[in-house]
Amino acid sequence: EADIYQTPRYLVIGTGKKITLECSQTMGHDKMYWYQQDPGMELHLIHYSYGVNSTEKGDLSSESTVSRIRTEHFPLTLESARPSHTSQYLCASASTLDYEQYFGPGTRLTVT
Amino acid sequence: SQQGEEDPQALSIQEGENATMNCSYKTSINNLQWYRQNSGRGLVHLILIRSNEREKHSGRLRVTLDTSKKSSSLLITASRAADTASYFCATDEGNGNKLVFGAGTILRVKS
């Protein structure tokens, strides 16, 4: 079982709210990732980080932002949630010495 | 951009049978990985095959890679009900930092 945690696991919020999805890992991995996944569909990379103070946008256009102030923590923020943001958000991490990514359990977000 | 295409989209077999899933990709790769996802959960890494390898085994899993055809296959032998999950291939295009995932194959193993 990977030591990567996401909170909350489920979240239902109203349109226009600001939310932060938390992701933490205890493996000391430098690389961290956020993916968006609709049910039964492929994963889309929305943000990634190579280390502290490093963040990059992924392949999927997103209205979210991320920060990487500490190695173990990579939160994702939606400034103003919309129904189109309804999806599952998966966080992952990887060592610089390895290609394998370790995934958290995901946050299922519903925006009403 | 989507790199991997998986085939079939869904597969239903009886316990004890073998399951084969295929993945095709478009650009040169450094390695290809297979992941499993149980319903509503995160992904779990199964196996990695490097671009200079043709076949790899891990327990009941066998992965092949054909770089000339830009395709890979995952074989699960003697399937069990617990193998019921979605299976994704993911390609590393060489920078070691980003993976591109396919759409996945939904496998159902009936007991």
Side-chain angles (χ1 to χ4, degrees):
Chain A
E1 194 77 15
D3 296 318
I4 180 164
Y5 309 98
Q6 290 186 245
T7 57
R9 291 293 315 280
Y10 303 93
L11 181 62
V12 180
I13 60 168
T15 297
K17 299 290 187 184
K18 176 180 178 179
I19 59 165
T20 295
L21 308 185
E22 302 288 349
C23 176
S24 295
Q25 49 95 7
T26 59
M27 297 173 280
H29 287 168
D30 285 325
K31 296 185 284 188
M32 294 190 75
Y33 308 84
W34 275 104
Y35 295 91
Q36 185 175 342
Q37 182 188 31
D38 291 327
M41 303 295 286
E42 68 206 270
L43 281 70
H44 293 284
L45 181 66
I46 48 177
H47 294 284
Y48 60 102
S49 168
Y50 300 153
V52 171
N53 294 326
S54 152
T55 61
E56 302 284 345
K57 287 187 181 293
D59 301 320
L60 181 67
S61 175
S62 173
E63 292 150 347
S64 57
T65 59
V66 291
S67 62
R68 189 88 184 276
I69 298 171
R70 302 197 316 266
T71 297
E72 63 271 21
H73 194 214
F74 191 41
L76 180 140
T77 298
L78 280 169
E79 291 292 335
S80 180
R82 295 212 300 261
S84 60
H85 294 136
T86 294
S87 190
Q88 174 159 256
Y89 293 83
L90 293 167
C91 180
S93 71
S95 163
T96 50
L97 303 176
D98 201 356
Y99 297 109
E100 174 184 347
Q101 292 188 11
Y102 295 83
F103 282 79
T107 293
R108 187 168 296 281
L109 173 66
T110 302
V111 184
T112 60
Chain B
S1 60
Q2 182 177 339
Q3 168 77 309
E5 300 277 349
E6 295 187 60
D7 167 57
Q9 288 187 318
L11 181 60
S12 183
I13 59 174
Q14 291 293 134
E15 206 165 27
E17 294 180 339
N18 295 342
T20 299
M21 289 158 267
N22 303 296
C23 168
S24 60
Y25 57 91
K26 296 175 183 151
T27 64
S28 297
I29 62 170
N30 186 42
N31 64 70
L32 186 145
Q33 303 176 42
W34 285 90
Y35 288 79
R36 185 187 75 223
Q37 183 180 34
N38 289 91
S39 181
R41 307 285 298 181
L43 279 70
V44 175
H45 182 264
L46 295 175
I47 195 166
L48 178 152
I49 187 165
R50 298 179 190 277
S51 59
N52 61 354
E53 297 176 309
R54 291 297 166 258
E55 188 171 311
K56 201 161 183 181
H57 296 253
S58 177
R60 294 185 295 113
L61 305 180
R62 173 178 163 248
V63 170
T64 61
L65 179 64
D66 187 334
T67 53
S68 66
K69 294 181 180 178
K70 291 187 169 59
S71 68
S72 173
S73 67
L74 171 67
L75 168 67
I76 303 174
T77 60
S79 62
R80 306 166 182 168
D83 294 328
T84 294
S86 293
Y87 292 81
F88 294 87
C89 68
T91 50
D92 178 339
E93 295 175 2
N95 59 19
N97 289 318
K98 294 193 295 180
L99 293 178
V100 179
F101 285 84
T105 292
I106 300 170
L107 173 65
R108 181 184 172 211
V109 181
K110 295 176 284 187
S111 56

